[in-house]
Amino acid sequence: MTHPEIARALEHLGRSSRDLQITDMYCGSANRAVRLLVAGDDVVLRLAGSRTADLVDRSRECNHMRLASSLGVAPEVLAADPDQGLILYRFADGQPLDTMDRPFATPVLQRLGRGFRTLRQAIGFTGVMNPWEKLETYLDEAGCTSPEAPDAFGTGWAVVDALRHACRPEDATPVASHVDPVPPNIIDNGDSVTFLDWEYAALCHPLWDPAYFASEAGLEKEECRTLLAATGMEGGMRILEDWIRLALAVSLAWCLLRRERAVGETSWNSEIAWRRRRLVAS
């Protein structure tokens, strides 16, 4: 991402690029972002990643981020152009959860659980994320006609099939959810958490967000209990374990899709293998 490209994006959003200073750059699986000082303001400019246009509703993303910001669990949106995949938001100060020592300190998990609980109160979220439908979509897009194949789910596919009666989205009223609360997307400032990257946010089963975080962070059982209690769902530990397995399956299918689209890139193989091992071991 070059200085002229950043300046053009800011000007497109109606923001001056005067005294522009680049202080950091980030590159995720679906986005590019750069931290800037612009006229004294500490901000982040987010640009959509390549080959994600058919995977993300950018207008819905902006709306959900603004709704979450009004509740204090997302950064303030300063400007956006969903059609161009651009969002400018205020920098969220704190420590990303993926840089923290493990196991997570109890207060961190409690703040995270309260963040999920606060987000569930949001009104105005649209779209429903059904994990089973998402799983099938990712597999179809990846051209994966045999998910039980060794280079896909392998023996873990039997684990997934066994969850179909245990993890039923229709068994609970869907609530506002981040949907992709992986550790790098969560900032802890010691008082509360802020969620970043809202491109997949939607209405979903209340257990999805804690389950997905637990799966991607590799939480131990005691960590899961602490997190779940802070969300106000402390009685759901048994079913949470099933939802964690389903979350692993959806994440694995997403990685298969990204591998299919990243021609010649081998980094997705390790991501797939890690999730496959954990699914089988569960």
Side-chain angles (χ1 to χ4, degrees):
M1 199 183 310
T2 64
H3 194 288
E5 181 184 9
I6 293 167
R8 287 193 298 271
L10 288 172
E11 291 164 5
H12 178 80
L13 292 172
R15 296 279 167 160
S16 171
S17 58
R18 178 175 56 86
D19 300 326
L20 168 64
Q21 297 180 48
I22 301 172
T23 60
D24 208 349
M25 287 193 179
Y26 320 94
C27 185
S29 63
N31 294 315
R32 295 176 296 155
V34 57
R35 183 181 175 187
L36 310 167
L37 286 177
V38 182
D41 283 341
D42 195 356
V43 300
V44 175
L45 175 66
R46 205 294 314 281
L47 298 88
S50 62
R51 305 188 72 179
T52 60
D54 62 329
L55 298 174
V56 179
D57 184 331
R58 296 294 178 183
S59 294
R60 195 167 71 184
E61 172 192 13
C62 291
N63 182 52
H64 290 168
M65 188 172 177
R66 288 189 169 104
L67 291 170
S69 178
S70 71
L71 295 175
V73 292
E76 177 188 1
V77 178
L78 302 173
D81 183 345
D83 291 339
Q84 297 298 316
L86 297 173
I87 300 179
L88 184 70
Y89 59 86
R90 201 167 301 284
F91 177 74
D93 197 18
Q95 184 176 3
L97 265 62
D98 64 320
T99 66
M100 291 185 173
D101 293 335
R102 297 295 308 277
F104 288 109
T106 295
V108 172
L109 293 172
Q110 290 173 334
R111 288 190 288 270
L112 176 57
R114 289 196 295 270
F116 287 143
R117 193 171 187 170
T118 297
L119 177 58
R120 293 205 306 260
Q121 301 169 11
I123 298 174
F125 270 50
T126 57
V128 176
M129 199 287 276
N130 182 314
W132 292 107
E133 293 177 358
K134 189 68 67 176
L135 176 63
E136 292 175 6
T137 297
Y138 288 161
L139 291 175
D140 286 344
E141 291 290 331
C144 184
T145 57
S146 301
E148 70 279 3
D151 67 340
F153 279 75
T155 57
W157 187 246
V159 177
V160 178
D161 260 346
L163 297 171
R164 295 188 184 275
H165 295 294
C167 300
R168 291 162 42 90
E170 61 271 24
D171 286 345
T173 301
V175 297
S177 305
H178 183 278
V179 176
D180 188 30
V182 296
N185 285 348
I186 306 167
I187 308 296
D188 182 286
N189 66 13
D191 292 316
S192 61
V193 298
T194 300
F195 298 102
L196 309 178
D197 292 351
W198 290 83
E199 62 264 36
Y200 303 112
L203 295 166
C204 197
H205 190 285
L207 282 173
W208 176 260
D209 274 357
Y212 197 77
F213 176 80
S215 71
E216 292 294 291
L219 292 192
E220 301 295 335
K221 283 192 175 182
E222 283 306 313
E223 292 177 293
C224 288
R225 289 191 180 94
T226 300
L227 175 62
L228 198 59
T231 69
M233 298 183 290
E234 55 267 52
M237 186 62 192
R238 186 195 61 77
I239 187 64
L240 176 66
E241 293 176 349
D242 286 335
W243 278 87
I244 289 172
R245 295 182 185 99
L246 178 56
L248 273 170
V250 172
S251 181
L252 200 164
W254 161 255
C255 291
L256 290 171
L257 169 57
R258 294 297 289 173
R259 182 179 66 180
E260 177 67 18
R261 295 190 175 191
V263 179
E265 186 179 329
T266 60
S267 62
W268 288 103
N269 289 330
S270 61
E271 297 291 334
I272 291 165
W274 179 77
R275 287 162 177 80
R276 186 192 300 126
R277 287 194 302 269
R278 292 195 62 236
L279 188 60
V280 172
S282 67

